[in-house]
Structures are given as structure tokens and as C-alpha cells.
């Protein structure tokens, strides 16, 4: 997963729910130095909460993604993130940055 262009990660999930697996795995895929390069906010919901899990991402170009992780698998989330990050990488290569 390309995390170079992510500036902000915000998650909200119930850690006891099976539906929160995508959020937990996404956070596990972040590199060890992620807290130095991006802002990470995690909100843990109580055990009995009926609220759904969400993942919000902000990129260096200002784009914001709100992903419903109850409906998407980790593969789908990583595909969306990589698709946008590859586009930003191409732009950076073309401008020489």
C-alpha cells in the first residue's frame, strides 16, 4: 500500500465487532513511521454500539475519502488508496518533485 501521499487517517470502529476487521487490518498495514508523516485519529466505539465502522483519509492534494469499511474488504480499501496514490505519484514524477 502506498502511504507516501496520505496526510490524515481517521477511523471509527467497534473493536469487538467482526465488521471492524477492515479498519483494524488497514491500521496494521500502516508503516512504523506513520505517526511522524501523517495524523492518525482512532475512535473506539463501545462494545454494544450500533454505529458502523468508517475510515476517512486525506491526501496531500486535498482529496478526502470516506470509506464504509463494513461494506468494503481490506483489498477494496487498499485498491482505492493505491489508485489515488499512484495518480499523485505520476503527478509528482512529471513535475519533478
Amino acid at each position: 500500500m502506498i502511504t507516501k501521499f496520505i496526510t490524515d487517517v481517521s477511523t471509527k470502529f467497534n473493536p469487538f465487532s467482526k465488521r471492524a476487521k477492515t479498519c483494524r487490518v488497514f491500521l496494521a498495514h500502516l508503516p512504523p513511521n506513520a505517526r511522524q508523516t501523517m495524523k492518525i485519529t482512532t475512535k473506539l466505539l463501545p462494545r454494544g454500539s450500533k454505529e458502523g465502522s468508517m475510515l476517512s483519509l486525506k491526501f496531500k492534494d486535498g482529496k478526502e475519502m470516506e470509506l464504509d469499511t463494513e461494506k468494503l474488504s481490506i483489498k477494496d480499501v487498499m485498491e482505492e488508496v493505491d489508485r489515488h496514490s499512484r495518480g499523485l505519484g505520476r503527478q509528482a514524477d512529471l513535475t519533478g518533485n
Side-chain angles (χ1 to χ4, degrees), residues 56-59 61-66 84:
S56 301
L57 302 168
K58 291 182 186 173
F59 291 89
D61 67 342
K63 178 171 175 139
E64 295 184 21
M65 280 188 187
E66 293 273 338
H84 188 69

Side-chain angles (χ1 to χ4, degrees), residues 20-86:
K21 182 178 179 181
T22 304
C23 273
R24 292 191 316 262
V25 173
F26 182 84
L27 290 172
H29 275 90
L30 293 176
N33 67 344
R35 291 212 179 264
Q36 298 167 355
T37 60
M38 63 185 81
K39 180 182 174 194
I40 300 174
T41 308
T42 304
K43 180 181 179 191
L44 299 178
L45 300 172
R47 183 183 291 260
S49 176
K50 300 294 182 194
E51 244 183 295
S53 57
M54 291 292 293
L55 175 66
S56 301
L57 302 168
K58 291 182 186 173
F59 291 89
K60 287 186 178 179
D61 67 342
K63 178 171 175 139
E64 295 184 21
M65 280 188 187
E66 293 273 338
L67 302 169
D68 184 6
T69 54
E70 289 193 359
K71 296 177 181 163
L72 297 172
S73 69
I74 186 62
K75 183 179 176 185
D76 298 333
V77 170
M78 291 176 72
E79 188 177 299
E80 288 291 322
V81 171
D82 283 345
R83 179 180 300 133
H84 188 69
S85 294
R86 280 193 303 272

Side-chain angles (χ1 to χ4, degrees), residues 6-24:
I6 299 174
T7 59
D8 189 11
V9 176
S10 180
T11 60
K12 175 181 70 169
F13 62 94
N14 177 354
F16 303 105
S17 171
K18 286 185 177 182
R19 295 180 182 161
K21 182 178 179 181
T22 304
C23 273
R24 292 191 316 262

Side-chain angles (χ1 to χ4, degrees), residues 89-97:
R90 277 190 225 111
Q91 285 178 349
D93 289 344
L94 290 174
T95 59
N97 291 337

